[in-house]
Amino acid sequence: MEEFFHEMKDSAPIIGWIHNISLNQQKYMSLKLKGMNLNHDVRYIMFIYDNPNCSQDDLVKMSGQSKANIAYILKKFEDEGYVKREVNPKNRRKYMLNTTEKGSELVPMIRQISKEWEAEVGLNENDVEFREKLIQIAVNGQRLINENKDDLP
C-alpha cells in the first residue's frame, strides 16, 4: 500500500491526498465510536460546543455546506439528543444552537480520539506552521467560492 502511494505522489492532486486523509480520519473515528452512528459531522457538534448560541447560518459559513444540508444534520443531532435549538430572543426568526449535556460530554471524547489519530499518523502540537497553512488554504478556498459564486452552476 505504501509503495502505491509513493508511486502516485507526483501525479495525484493535493485535494486527493486531503480527501484520503479526511476519509481515513473518519473511518478511525467511526471505529472508536462504534454504535454511536456518528461520522465526520461531529465537527458541527464541536463547533456548536465551542460557539454557544451560534446560528445555523454560522454553521453554513464555517463549513461551506448548503443550508439544506446543515438543516438535515442539525435535525439528526436534535433527534439523537446532541444539540438543541432555542428561539433567539433578539431575532425570533432565528435559532440559537447549543449542545445538550449528551453533546457536551461527547466533545472531549472526540477531541481525544482526534489527538490519538493525529499522533498515530505523525502530526503533533509542533506542526503549527502546517496547521496554519491548511487553515489559510481553507479560508482562501471559501473566499474564492464566495467571490465567484455568481459564475458557478
Side-chain angles (χ1 to χ4, degrees), residues 45 49 81-83 98-109:
I45 295 173
Y49 177 86
Y82 294 113
V83 171
N98 288 289
T99 53
T100 61
E101 185 175 335
K102 182 179 178 181
S104 294
E105 290 171 356
L106 181 64
V107 171
M109 188 180 351

Side-chain angles (χ1 to χ4, degrees), residues 1-152:
M1 177 66 80
E2 196 169 321
E3 184 177 309
F4 175 74
F5 282 145
H6 284 290
E7 289 174 13
M8 292 179 41
K9 73 178 179 181
D10 294 329
S11 61
I14 191 73
I15 196 65
W17 294 108
I18 292 170
H19 184 69
N20 177 277
I21 292 165
S22 177
L23 287 175
N24 284 326
Q25 197 269 352
Q26 289 174 43
K27 289 175 186 176
Y28 184 84
M29 187 76 63
S30 293
L31 289 170
K32 293 293 187 171
L33 297 171
K34 282 184 182 165
M36 294 184 78
N37 193 30
L38 294 168
N39 55 29
H40 66 282
D41 292 337
V42 296
R43 66 182 184 229
Y44 302 117
I45 295 173
M46 296 173 70
F47 182 85
I48 294 166
Y49 177 86
D50 291 337
N51 300 277
N53 298 322
C54 64
S55 70
Q56 184 171 325
D57 288 340
D58 294 331
L59 286 173
V60 169
K61 288 175 193 170
M62 178 275 297
S63 68
Q65 297 287 326
S66 70
K67 287 182 180 184
N69 195 34
I70 293 296
Y72 174 80
I73 292 165
L74 287 174
K75 175 74 170 111
K76 177 184 144 192
F77 285 149
E78 278 184 285
D79 292 348
E80 293 174 359
Y82 294 113
V83 171
K84 60 184 173 185
R85 292 186 219 220
E86 299 170 305
V87 174
N88 186 333
K90 295 178 183 176
N91 182 347
R92 306 213 33 88
R93 293 179 292 154
K94 296 205 176 223
Y95 290 93
M96 299 181 307
L97 302 170
N98 288 289
T99 53
T100 61
E101 185 175 335
K102 182 179 178 181
S104 294
E105 290 171 356
L106 181 64
V107 171
M109 188 180 351
I110 297 298
R111 288 203 167 116
Q112 182 59 40
I113 293 168
S114 291
K115 281 184 179 182
E116 290 170 11
W117 181 84
E118 289 176 5
E120 288 293 325
V121 300
L123 291 171
N124 63 53
E125 289 134 15
N126 297 327
D127 292 323
V128 175
E129 189 175 312
F130 176 72
R131 290 171 192 270
E132 290 297 321
K133 182 68 173 178
L134 284 177
I135 291 167
Q136 191 58 55
I137 291 169
V139 168
N140 291 345
Q142 189 63 48
R143 189 190 78 250
L144 188 61
I145 294 301
N146 291 340
E147 290 172 357
N148 294 285
K149 64 183 167 190
D150 294 336
D151 299 331
L152 295 173

